[in-house]
Amino acid sequence: MNDTFLRENYQKIVAQLPATVKLVVVSKTHPAEKIQELYTLGQRVFGENRVQELLEKQTVLPKDIKWHLIGHLQTNKVKTIAAFVGTIESVDSERLLEEINRQALNVNRKIKVLLQVKIAEEETKFGMEVSETKELFQKWLQGAYPSVEITGLMGLATFTTDENQIRREFSFLKHLFDQLSQHKSLETLSMGMSGDFPIAIACGSNSVRVGSAIFGERDYR
Ligand SMILES: *Cc1c(COP(=O)(O)O)cnc(C)c1O
């Protein structure tokens, strides 16, 4: 397979990222062949938002891919990905964190997670309020979820053309990230997608989740 469009888009994005910023290629809705193509170019981290789709791709693709779950995760599905998932970026409740801890223990590993914080001023996004995020982080620091490793925070800005609003929302999350880091140094601040990753990086993101700028527009989601 020779997908020049895909390769060029990918290399264009990579060239725009500072060396300190990690790229999670969001491959949801795109076939395993395209993921394999980017794997051949050296990409190892991919993001999916649906468990079923993640499972299908994980089965047929190289085992050293680091899979990030970036969409809302139902507690009853944690079990199916616990043995291999790289990072669960979308932890949005205490119940979910508890279940990840339980399933991680079951498969005898530590699972990396990000706490997803609601930063968008619009009402539609998943994520926890700041107060809940802080409480959960404190409980974890005190040893409540020993099979989970909280490595950072994730957030989605409002889908808007108002750059000031986007900057405000990302800066808000960066501030929280710095606050929590005073208690325990955190590795990952995941913010920024195809439409807003340059702003996110300017606001302190060190991990961006980019899909359509690499693959082209999706039909849905
Ligand atoms: C789909 C998705 C992305 C990537 O969006 P693009 O606009 O295609 O780059 C990033 N993060 C999350 C949580 C997503 O669901």
Side-chain angles (χ1 to χ4, degrees):
M1 186 181 175
N2 178 18
D3 196 330
T4 310
F5 172 79
L6 181 62
R7 284 168 178 253
E8 284 179 0
N9 284 346
Y10 172 71
Q11 274 152 355
K12 215 159 57 192
I13 295 293
V14 169
Q16 287 176 62
L17 300 178
T20 50
V21 176
K22 193 161 86 179
L23 172 61
V24 177
V25 170
V26 176
S27 47
K28 63 187 184 195
T29 78
H30 300 292
E33 292 72 36
K34 294 201 174 187
I35 299 174
Q36 180 68 50
E37 180 87 9
L38 296 177
Y39 179 90
T40 307
L41 298 183
Q43 181 66 28
R44 291 293 178 273
V45 189
F46 293 90
E48 290 283 336
N49 69 338
R50 293 192 175 178
V51 167
Q52 190 53 41
E53 190 174 338
L54 171 57
L55 290 170
E56 284 163 17
K57 290 174 177 173
Q58 191 267 339
T59 306
V60 300
L61 284 160
K63 295 303 172 227
D64 62 339
I65 287 180
K66 288 190 169 68
W67 293 103
H68 285 214
L69 202 284
I70 59 169
H72 178 65
L73 176 59
Q74 289 171 284
T75 50
N76 62 0
K77 298 209 173 134
V78 175
K79 193 185 345 195
T80 63
I81 60 170
F84 72 86
V85 72
T87 299
I88 299 173
E89 295 206 12
S90 42
V91 172
D92 57 6
S93 73
E94 178 163 22
R95 253 186 81 221
L96 179 57
L97 193 67
E98 278 169 2
E99 179 62 11
I100 295 169
N101 183 63
R102 182 162 34 238
Q103 296 302 337
L105 196 64
N106 249 350
V107 293
N108 198 23
R109 64 187 291 245
K110 217 166 184 168
I111 295 181
K112 290 185 182 187
V113 307
L114 306 182
L115 301 181
Q116 184 176 353
V117 185
K118 181 179 161 0
I119 56 170
E121 292 163 12
E122 69 183 354
E123 263 309 312
T124 55
K125 308 279 188 191
F126 285 105
M128 294 182 283
E129 300 292 338
V130 169
S131 55
E132 190 180 0
T133 307
K134 285 181 173 171
E135 279 169 30
L136 217 50
F137 187 67
Q138 282 303 328
K139 276 181 95 163
W140 174 71
L141 282 181
Q142 289 159 6
Y145 311 106
S147 296
V148 160
E149 189 180 353
I150 297 178
T151 58
L153 303 177
M154 188 269 263
L156 286 101
T158 302
F159 188 69
T160 174
T161 54
D162 182 350
E163 292 199 1
N164 287 324
Q165 182 177 352
I166 295 171
R167 201 169 288 115
R168 205 158 59 229
E169 293 172 356
F170 284 151
S171 299
F172 177 83
L173 191 60
K174 166 67 165 138
H175 179 71
L176 178 62
F177 181 79
D178 289 342
Q179 273 188 328
L180 297 186
S181 293
Q182 290 178 353
H183 300 276
K184 161 109 173 51
S185 138
L186 291 172
E187 195 177 298
T188 304
L189 179 56
S190 172
M191 45 186 207
M193 342 204 313
S194 293
D196 57 18
F197 76 84
I199 303 177
I201 292 169
C203 293
S205 168
N206 63 17
S207 188
V208 295
R209 309 175 309 274
V210 179
S212 50
I214 293 171
F215 292 100
E217 292 300 325
R218 287 179 301 276
D219 293 341
Y220 61 105
R221 288 187 287 172

